[in-house]
Protein backbone atom coordinates (compact mmCIF):
# COMPACT_ATOMS: atom_id res chain seq x y z
CA UNK A 1 0.00 0.00 0.00
CA UNK A 2 1.34 3.41 -0.98
CA UNK A 3 1.51 5.69 2.09
CA UNK A 4 -0.64 8.80 2.05
CA UNK A 5 1.32 11.95 1.19
CA UNK A 6 2.40 14.15 4.08
CA UNK A 7 0.76 17.57 3.91
CA UNK A 8 1.70 20.93 5.34
CA UNK A 9 -0.91 23.59 6.06
CA UNK A 10 -0.90 27.38 6.20
CA UNK A 11 -3.16 30.43 5.99
CA UNK A 12 -2.74 32.74 2.99
CA UNK A 13 -5.02 35.66 2.07
CA UNK A 14 -7.40 34.48 4.81
CA UNK A 15 -7.70 31.07 3.11
CA UNK A 16 -6.68 27.70 4.49
CA UNK A 17 -4.11 26.11 2.14
CA UNK A 18 -2.19 22.85 2.00
CA UNK A 19 0.38 21.09 -0.18
CA UNK A 20 2.48 17.95 -0.19
CA UNK A 21 5.70 17.99 1.79
CA UNK A 22 8.89 16.54 0.29
CA UNK A 23 12.19 15.98 2.04
CA UNK A 24 14.84 13.57 0.79
CA UNK A 25 16.97 14.46 3.81
CA UNK A 26 14.32 13.11 6.16
CA UNK A 27 13.33 16.44 7.70
CA UNK A 28 9.88 16.19 9.33
CA UNK A 29 7.12 18.39 7.96
CA UNK A 30 6.92 21.77 9.73
CA UNK A 31 4.00 22.17 12.10
CA UNK A 32 3.63 25.92 11.64
CA UNK A 33 4.03 27.74 8.32
CA UNK A 34 3.78 31.46 7.58
CA UNK A 35 4.17 33.41 4.33
CA UNK A 36 7.45 35.26 3.69
CA UNK A 37 8.56 37.49 0.83
CA UNK A 38 11.10 40.14 -0.15
CA UNK A 39 10.10 42.29 2.82
CA UNK A 40 11.13 39.60 5.34
CA UNK A 41 14.35 40.55 7.11
CA UNK A 42 17.13 38.13 7.95
CA UNK A 43 16.71 38.76 11.67
CA UNK A 44 12.99 38.05 11.50
CA UNK A 45 13.50 34.94 9.39
CA UNK A 46 16.20 33.59 11.69
CA UNK A 47 14.05 34.21 14.77
CA UNK A 48 11.07 32.39 13.22
CA UNK A 49 13.26 29.47 12.13
CA UNK A 50 14.78 29.10 15.59
CA UNK A 51 11.26 29.00 17.02
CA UNK A 52 10.35 26.17 14.62
CA UNK A 53 8.20 28.25 12.29
CA UNK A 54 8.70 27.58 8.58
CA UNK A 55 8.40 30.30 5.95
CA UNK A 56 6.83 29.63 2.55
CA UNK A 57 8.50 31.99 0.09
CA UNK A 58 6.44 34.16 -2.27
CA UNK A 59 9.11 36.64 -3.38
CA UNK A 60 12.06 36.74 -5.75
CA UNK A 61 14.05 33.49 -5.85
CA UNK A 62 17.46 35.17 -5.78
CA UNK A 63 16.39 37.20 -2.76
CA UNK A 64 15.46 33.93 -1.05
CA UNK A 65 18.99 32.61 -1.66
CA UNK A 66 20.47 35.75 -0.15
CA UNK A 67 18.15 35.46 2.83
CA UNK A 68 19.23 31.84 3.39
CA UNK A 69 22.88 32.89 3.30
CA UNK A 70 22.17 35.59 5.87
CA UNK A 71 20.41 33.05 8.10
CA UNK A 72 23.42 30.72 7.75
CA UNK A 73 25.77 33.48 8.92
CA UNK A 74 23.63 33.95 12.00
CA UNK A 75 23.71 30.20 12.68
CA UNK A 76 27.49 30.10 12.36
CA UNK A 77 27.99 33.03 14.74
CA UNK A 78 26.39 31.00 17.52
CA UNK A 79 28.76 28.04 17.11
CA UNK A 80 31.90 28.08 19.25
CA UNK A 81 34.70 25.56 19.25
CA UNK A 82 34.02 22.89 21.86
CA UNK A 83 36.63 22.22 24.50
CA UNK A 84 37.32 18.82 25.97
CA UNK A 85 38.07 15.43 24.45
CA UNK A 86 37.92 14.62 20.72
CA UNK A 87 34.73 12.65 21.38
CA UNK A 88 33.12 15.65 23.09
CA UNK A 89 34.19 17.87 20.18
CA UNK A 90 32.67 15.39 17.71
CA UNK A 91 29.38 15.19 19.59
CA UNK A 92 29.21 18.98 19.86
CA UNK A 93 29.98 19.33 16.16
CA UNK A 94 27.25 16.85 15.20
CA UNK A 95 24.74 18.59 17.46
CA UNK A 96 25.61 21.98 15.96
CA UNK A 97 25.34 20.57 12.42
CA UNK A 98 21.94 19.08 13.18
CA UNK A 99 20.62 22.31 14.69
CA UNK A 100 21.95 24.32 11.76
CA UNK A 101 20.28 21.98 9.27
CA UNK A 102 16.92 22.20 11.09
CA UNK A 103 17.07 25.99 11.22
CA UNK A 104 18.00 26.51 7.58
CA UNK A 105 15.42 23.98 6.42
CA UNK A 106 12.68 26.38 7.55
CA UNK A 107 12.80 28.49 4.36
CA UNK A 108 10.45 26.71 1.94
CA UNK A 109 9.94 26.81 -1.81
CA UNK A 110 6.64 26.18 -3.67
CA UNK A 111 6.81 23.79 -6.64
CA UNK A 112 4.32 23.18 -9.42
CA UNK A 113 3.58 19.60 -10.47
CA UNK A 114 6.22 19.74 -13.21
CA UNK A 115 9.01 20.64 -10.75
CA UNK A 116 9.00 24.32 -11.71
CA UNK A 117 9.25 27.20 -9.26
CA UNK A 118 6.50 29.84 -9.69
CA UNK A 119 8.82 32.61 -8.47
CA UNK A 120 10.50 35.59 -10.08
CA UNK A 121 14.04 34.93 -11.36
CA UNK A 122 13.74 31.24 -10.52
CA UNK A 123 16.14 28.89 -12.35
CA UNK A 124 15.07 25.79 -14.22
CA UNK A 125 15.38 23.08 -11.56
CA UNK A 126 13.16 20.44 -13.18
CA UNK A 127 16.01 18.10 -14.15
CA UNK A 128 17.64 18.24 -10.70
CA UNK A 129 14.32 17.59 -8.95
CA UNK A 130 13.38 14.79 -11.31
CA UNK A 131 16.66 12.99 -10.59
CA UNK A 132 16.13 13.17 -6.83
CA UNK A 133 12.34 13.08 -6.41
CA UNK A 134 11.15 11.27 -9.52
CA UNK A 135 8.01 12.46 -11.25
CA UNK A 136 5.53 14.73 -9.48
CA UNK A 137 1.78 14.54 -10.09
CA UNK A 138 0.83 17.43 -7.81
CA UNK A 139 2.27 20.69 -6.46
CA UNK A 140 4.50 20.32 -3.41
CA UNK A 141 6.72 22.23 -1.00
CA UNK A 142 10.37 21.56 -0.15
CA UNK A 143 13.10 23.50 1.63
CA UNK A 144 15.36 25.85 -0.29
CA UNK A 145 18.38 24.32 1.44
CA UNK A 146 17.49 20.89 0.10
CA UNK A 147 16.81 22.32 -3.36
CA UNK A 148 20.30 23.85 -3.47
CA UNK A 149 21.68 20.43 -2.54
CA UNK A 150 19.72 18.86 -5.39
CA UNK A 151 21.10 21.43 -7.82
CA UNK A 152 24.65 20.78 -6.61
CA UNK A 153 24.18 17.02 -6.96
CA UNK A 154 22.80 17.51 -10.46
CA UNK A 155 25.93 19.45 -11.45
CA UNK A 156 28.17 16.75 -9.93
CA UNK A 157 26.26 14.14 -11.91
CA UNK A 158 26.70 16.05 -15.16
CA UNK A 159 30.39 16.86 -14.68
CA UNK A 160 31.49 13.68 -12.94
CA UNK A 161 34.52 13.04 -10.72
CA UNK A 162 37.86 12.41 -12.38
CA UNK A 163 39.31 9.02 -11.37
CA UNK A 164 42.99 8.75 -12.28
CA UNK A 165 43.01 4.94 -11.97
CA UNK A 166 40.32 4.74 -14.67
CA UNK A 167 41.58 7.62 -16.80
CA UNK A 168 37.90 8.48 -16.87
CA UNK A 169 35.12 9.99 -14.81
CA UNK A 170 32.56 8.55 -12.40
CA UNK A 171 29.18 10.31 -12.26
CA UNK A 172 27.56 10.17 -8.80
CA UNK A 173 23.79 10.36 -8.43
CA UNK A 174 21.96 12.30 -5.74
CA UNK A 175 22.19 10.46 -2.43
CA UNK A 176 25.13 8.28 -3.53
CA UNK A 177 28.53 8.99 -1.99
CA UNK A 178 30.84 10.66 -4.53
CA UNK A 179 34.41 9.28 -4.74
CA UNK A 180 36.00 12.67 -4.16
CA UNK A 181 38.55 11.29 -1.67
CA UNK A 182 40.84 9.69 -4.23
CA UNK A 183 43.28 8.19 -1.75
CA UNK A 184 41.11 5.14 -1.07
CA UNK A 185 40.60 4.53 -4.79
CA UNK A 186 44.36 4.77 -5.24
CA UNK A 187 44.96 2.10 -2.62
CA UNK A 188 42.74 -0.36 -4.51
CA UNK A 189 44.39 0.59 -7.79
CA UNK A 190 47.92 -0.04 -6.49
CA UNK A 191 47.70 -3.12 -4.25
CA UNK A 192 48.90 -6.36 -5.96
CA UNK A 193 45.91 -8.53 -6.89
CA UNK A 194 45.69 -11.95 -5.20
CA UNK A 195 43.41 -13.22 -8.00
CA UNK A 196 42.10 -11.97 -11.33
CA UNK A 197 39.34 -14.55 -11.77
CA UNK A 198 36.49 -13.29 -9.58
CA UNK A 199 36.10 -10.38 -7.15
CA UNK A 200 33.24 -9.12 -5.01
CA UNK A 201 32.73 -5.39 -4.34
CA UNK A 202 30.58 -5.06 -1.22
CA UNK A 203 28.53 -1.85 -0.98
CA UNK A 204 29.54 -0.64 -4.42
CA UNK A 205 27.93 2.83 -4.33
CA UNK A 206 28.89 4.56 -7.58
CA UNK A 207 30.61 1.38 -8.77
CA UNK A 208 34.03 3.04 -8.74
CA UNK A 209 35.95 0.21 -7.03
CA UNK A 210 34.31 -2.46 -9.17
CA UNK A 211 35.35 -0.46 -12.23
CA UNK A 212 38.93 -0.12 -10.96
CA UNK A 213 39.15 -3.91 -10.44
CA UNK A 214 37.79 -4.54 -13.93
CA UNK A 215 40.21 -1.99 -15.35
CA UNK A 216 43.06 -3.87 -13.66
CA UNK A 217 42.13 -7.11 -15.39
CA UNK A 218 39.80 -8.93 -13.00
CA UNK A 219 37.76 -11.12 -15.34
CA UNK A 220 34.49 -10.95 -13.41
CA UNK A 221 33.31 -8.63 -10.66
CA UNK A 222 30.07 -9.01 -8.69
CA UNK A 223 29.16 -5.70 -7.06
CA UNK A 224 26.45 -5.51 -4.40
CA UNK A 225 24.42 -2.78 -2.75
CA UNK A 226 20.99 -2.61 -1.14
CA UNK A 227 20.27 1.02 -2.04
CA UNK A 228 18.28 1.30 -5.30
CA UNK A 229 19.85 4.69 -6.01
CA UNK A 230 23.34 3.26 -5.68
CA UNK A 231 22.52 0.35 -7.96
CA UNK A 232 21.08 2.68 -10.61
CA UNK A 233 24.12 4.95 -10.31
CA UNK A 234 26.58 2.06 -10.54
CA UNK A 235 24.76 0.62 -13.55
CA UNK A 236 24.92 3.93 -15.39
CA UNK A 237 28.64 4.30 -14.68
CA UNK A 238 29.45 0.71 -15.63
CA UNK A 239 27.56 1.04 -18.90
CA UNK A 240 29.23 4.36 -19.68
CA UNK A 241 32.64 2.74 -19.09
CA UNK A 242 31.75 -0.23 -21.33
CA UNK A 243 32.14 -2.77 -18.51
CA UNK A 244 28.73 -4.46 -18.58
CA UNK A 245 30.23 -7.76 -19.72
CA UNK A 246 32.64 -7.82 -16.75
CA UNK A 247 30.67 -6.34 -13.84
CA UNK A 248 27.43 -7.81 -12.52
CA UNK A 249 25.29 -5.77 -10.14
CA UNK A 250 23.26 -7.48 -7.43
CA UNK A 251 20.85 -6.11 -4.84
CA UNK A 252 22.10 -7.67 -1.60
CA UNK A 253 22.87 -6.81 2.00
CA UNK A 254 26.63 -7.38 1.95
CA UNK A 255 27.70 -10.63 0.22
CA UNK A 256 26.50 -12.33 -2.95
CA UNK A 257 26.33 -16.15 -3.02
CA UNK A 258 29.56 -18.09 -3.44
CA UNK A 259 33.24 -17.43 -2.86
CA UNK A 260 35.78 -15.17 -4.53
CA UNK A 261 39.55 -14.79 -4.56
CA UNK A 262 39.23 -11.08 -3.75
CA UNK A 263 36.51 -9.29 -1.77
CA UNK A 264 36.67 -5.52 -1.40
CA UNK A 265 34.64 -3.37 1.00
CA UNK A 266 34.73 0.35 1.75
CA UNK A 267 32.15 0.70 4.56
CA UNK A 268 31.09 3.99 6.15
CA UNK A 269 33.98 5.04 8.34
CA UNK A 270 32.29 6.48 11.44
CA UNK A 271 30.27 4.34 13.88
CA UNK A 272 27.63 6.95 14.66
CA UNK A 273 23.94 7.37 13.98
CA UNK A 274 23.13 9.23 10.76
CA UNK A 275 20.77 12.17 11.10
CA UNK A 276 19.31 11.68 7.62
CA UNK A 277 19.10 8.87 5.03
CA UNK A 278 21.80 10.52 2.92
CA UNK A 279 24.31 10.23 5.79
CA UNK A 280 24.30 6.43 5.73
CA UNK A 281 27.25 6.66 3.31
CA UNK A 282 29.32 8.26 6.10
CA UNK A 283 27.90 6.85 9.33
CA UNK A 284 27.60 3.15 10.24
CA UNK A 285 25.48 2.79 13.43
CA UNK A 286 27.16 0.36 15.85
CA UNK A 287 29.61 -0.54 13.03
CA UNK A 288 26.92 -2.79 11.57
CA UNK A 289 28.28 -2.94 8.03
CA UNK A 290 31.91 -3.17 9.15
CA UNK A 291 31.22 -6.02 11.54
CA UNK A 292 28.90 -7.74 9.07
CA UNK A 293 31.65 -7.67 6.46
CA UNK A 294 34.23 -9.06 8.88
CA UNK A 295 31.91 -11.76 10.24
CA UNK A 296 30.95 -13.01 6.77
CA UNK A 297 34.28 -12.64 5.00
CA UNK A 298 35.88 -16.01 5.83
CA UNK A 299 32.80 -17.84 4.57
CA UNK A 300 33.01 -16.15 1.17
CA UNK A 301 36.76 -16.21 0.52
CA UNK A 302 38.37 -18.84 -1.64
CA UNK A 303 41.41 -20.61 -0.22
CA UNK A 304 44.33 -18.16 -0.20
CA UNK A 305 41.90 -15.37 -1.10
CA UNK A 306 42.07 -11.87 0.37
CA UNK A 307 39.54 -9.44 1.75
CA UNK A 308 40.45 -5.79 1.29
CA UNK A 309 38.95 -3.56 3.96
CA UNK A 310 39.31 0.14 3.15
CA UNK A 311 38.92 2.10 6.35
CA UNK A 312 39.93 5.43 7.81
CA UNK A 313 41.17 5.57 11.41
CA UNK A 314 39.35 8.87 12.01
CA UNK A 315 36.93 7.03 14.31
CA UNK A 316 39.88 6.02 16.51
CA UNK A 317 41.15 9.59 16.77
CA UNK A 318 37.64 10.75 17.69
CA UNK A 319 37.23 8.11 20.40
CA UNK A 320 34.38 6.35 18.58
CA UNK A 321 36.27 3.08 18.17
CA UNK A 322 39.67 1.76 19.28
CA UNK A 323 42.27 -0.08 17.25
CA UNK A 324 42.09 -2.89 19.82
CA UNK A 325 38.35 -3.30 19.12
CA UNK A 326 38.93 -3.51 15.38
CA UNK A 327 41.68 -6.12 15.79
CA UNK A 328 39.48 -8.10 18.17
CA UNK A 329 36.63 -8.15 15.62
CA UNK A 330 39.04 -9.32 12.93
CA UNK A 331 40.35 -12.13 15.12
CA UNK A 332 36.88 -13.18 16.33
CA UNK A 333 35.81 -13.53 12.67
CA UNK A 334 38.54 -16.12 12.09
CA UNK A 335 40.64 -13.68 10.05
CA UNK A 336 44.26 -12.68 10.11
CA UNK A 337 45.88 -9.45 8.96
CA UNK A 338 48.09 -10.28 5.98
CA UNK A 339 49.28 -6.71 5.60
CA UNK A 340 48.21 -3.10 5.55
CA UNK A 341 48.96 -0.06 3.44
CA UNK A 342 48.31 3.46 4.74
CA UNK A 343 47.95 6.80 3.03
CA UNK A 344 47.35 10.29 4.38
CA UNK A 345 44.24 12.10 3.15
CA UNK A 346 44.79 15.15 0.98
CA UNK A 347 41.30 16.67 1.18
CA UNK A 348 41.14 20.34 2.34
CA UNK A 349 39.75 19.59 5.80
CA UNK A 350 42.86 17.60 6.70
CA UNK A 351 44.85 20.86 6.80
CA UNK A 352 42.11 23.27 7.92
CA UNK A 353 43.05 24.45 11.39
CA UNK A 354 39.65 26.16 11.75
CA UNK A 355 37.82 22.85 11.45
CA UNK A 356 36.38 21.87 14.85
CA UNK A 357 37.70 18.33 14.35
CA UNK A 358 41.13 19.44 13.09
CA UNK A 359 43.13 17.56 15.73
CA UNK A 360 41.60 14.25 14.65
CA UNK A 361 41.58 14.98 10.92
CA UNK A 362 45.24 16.04 10.87
CA UNK A 363 46.24 12.65 12.32
CA UNK A 364 43.95 10.58 10.08
CA UNK A 365 45.20 7.71 7.95
CA UNK A 366 43.24 5.78 5.35
CA UNK A 367 44.22 2.12 5.23
CA UNK A 368 43.74 -0.90 3.03
CA UNK A 369 43.72 -3.91 5.35
CA UNK A 370 44.58 -7.20 3.63
CA UNK A 371 42.64 -9.88 5.48
CA UNK A 372 42.68 -13.62 5.01
CA UNK A 373 42.36 -16.94 6.76
CA UNK A 374 46.04 -17.86 6.43
CA UNK A 375 49.20 -16.87 8.24
CA UNK A 376 49.32 -13.35 9.62
CA UNK A 377 51.53 -10.69 8.10
CA UNK A 378 52.57 -7.29 9.44
CA UNK A 379 49.87 -4.77 10.39
Amino acid sequence: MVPAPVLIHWIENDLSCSARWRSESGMPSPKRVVIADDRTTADAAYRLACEGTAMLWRGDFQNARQLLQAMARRCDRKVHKAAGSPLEAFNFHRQAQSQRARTLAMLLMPFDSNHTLPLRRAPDVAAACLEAYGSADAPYVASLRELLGLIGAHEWRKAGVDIAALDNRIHPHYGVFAPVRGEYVGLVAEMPLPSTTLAFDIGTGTGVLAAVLAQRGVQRVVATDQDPRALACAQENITRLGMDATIELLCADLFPPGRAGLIVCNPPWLPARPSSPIEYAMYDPDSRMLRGFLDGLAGHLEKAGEGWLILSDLAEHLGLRTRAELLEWISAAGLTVLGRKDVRPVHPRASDAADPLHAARSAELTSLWRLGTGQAGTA
Side-chain angles (χ1 to χ4, degrees), residues 166 193 199 207-221 238 241-247:
L166 295 173
L193 293 168
V208 61
L209 296 185
V212 168
L213 295 175
Q215 178 86 349
R216 294 191 63 191
V218 176
Q219 298 170 27
R220 181 168 173 252
V221 182
I238 289 164
L241 293 168
M243 295 179 174
D244 286 295
T246 304
I247 302 174

Side-chain angles (χ1 to χ4, degrees), residues 17-280:
C17 305
S18 64
R20 293 185 180 184
W21 168 250
R22 303 196 83 149
S23 175
E24 287 298 308
S25 63
M27 284 288 178
S29 59
K31 302 303 181 186
R32 184 167 182 264
V33 181
V34 298
I35 298 299
D37 56 28
D38 300 325
R39 297 168 295 179
T40 305
T41 66
D43 286 336
Y46 180 67
R47 183 178 65 253
L48 287 168
C50 289
E51 294 170 352
T53 299
M55 293 153 282
L56 179 59
W57 190 253
R58 295 302 193 194
D60 179 272
F61 178 82
Q62 301 304 329
N63 288 347
R65 289 193 63 164
Q66 293 177 10
L67 179 62
L68 187 68
Q69 292 169 358
M71 292 169 63
R73 290 193 294 270
R74 284 157 175 77
C75 286
D76 296 339
R77 282 204 295 263
K78 292 189 65 176
V79 177
H80 303 285
K81 188 175 181 179
S85 69
L87 181 57
E88 290 171 332
F90 172 74
N91 289 333
F92 179 86
H93 176 62
R94 290 278 288 149
Q95 183 180 30
Q97 279 187 319
S98 180
Q99 179 58 47
R100 185 181 192 273
R102 286 195 299 269
T103 300
L104 298 183
M106 290 295 168
L107 187 56
L108 311 182
M109 295 284 106
F111 293 81
D112 290 335
S113 57
N114 57 357
H115 295 305
T116 58
L117 291 164
L119 301 173
R120 296 189 307 278
R121 292 201 295 168
D124 182 357
V125 299
C129 293
L130 185 63
E131 290 172 356
Y133 293 145
S135 60
D137 57 4
Y140 63 93
V141 170
S143 81
L144 174 57
R145 184 174 186 268
E146 176 162 293
L147 172 61
L148 297 178
L150 267 59
I151 294 171
H154 175 67
E155 295 303 318
W156 269 109
R157 181 169 175 171
K158 284 197 302 182
V161 179
D162 187 52
I163 305 296
L166 295 173
D167 193 24
N168 215 314
R169 305 181 79 80
I170 286 289
H171 297 259
H173 289 194
Y174 177 79
V176 182
F177 187 73
V180 291
R181 290 188 54 163
E183 71 270 9
Y184 78 88
V185 180
L187 287 171
V188 173
E190 296 164 5
M191 185 66 67
L193 293 168
S195 170
T196 58
T197 304
L198 173 64
F200 295 162
D201 175 23
I202 308 302
T204 192
T206 61
V208 61
L209 296 185
V212 168
L213 295 175
Q215 178 86 349
R216 294 191 63 191
V218 176
Q219 298 170 27
R220 181 168 173 252
V221 182
V222 179
T224 70
D225 211 296
Q226 59 179 348
D227 182 357
R229 288 189 178 193
L231 291 169
C233 177
Q235 185 61 71
E236 184 178 290
N237 283 309
I238 289 164
T239 299
R240 182 183 286 111
L241 293 168
M243 295 179 174
D244 286 295
T246 304
I247 302 174
E248 175 189 354
L249 287 171
L250 186 65
C251 182
D253 184 5
L254 297 175
F255 297 93
R259 295 175 181 266
L262 173 61
I263 304 178
V264 177
C265 183
N266 175 34
W269 290 346
L270 295 176
R273 181 178 300 174
S275 60
S276 69
I278 294 173
E279 289 192 340
Y280 274 95

Side-chain angles (χ1 to χ4, degrees), residues 297-329:
L297 181 58
H300 288 85
L301 276 178
E302 293 177 351
K303 187 177 181 180
E306 293 185 10
W308 290 359
L309 172 64
I310 299 97
L311 195 66
S312 159
D313 66 356
L314 181 61
E316 297 172 19
H317 296 296
L318 292 173
L320 296 169
R321 180 177 60 235
T322 67
R323 177 59 56 90
E325 284 178 309
L326 177 60
L327 293 174
E328 181 181 342
W329 296 343

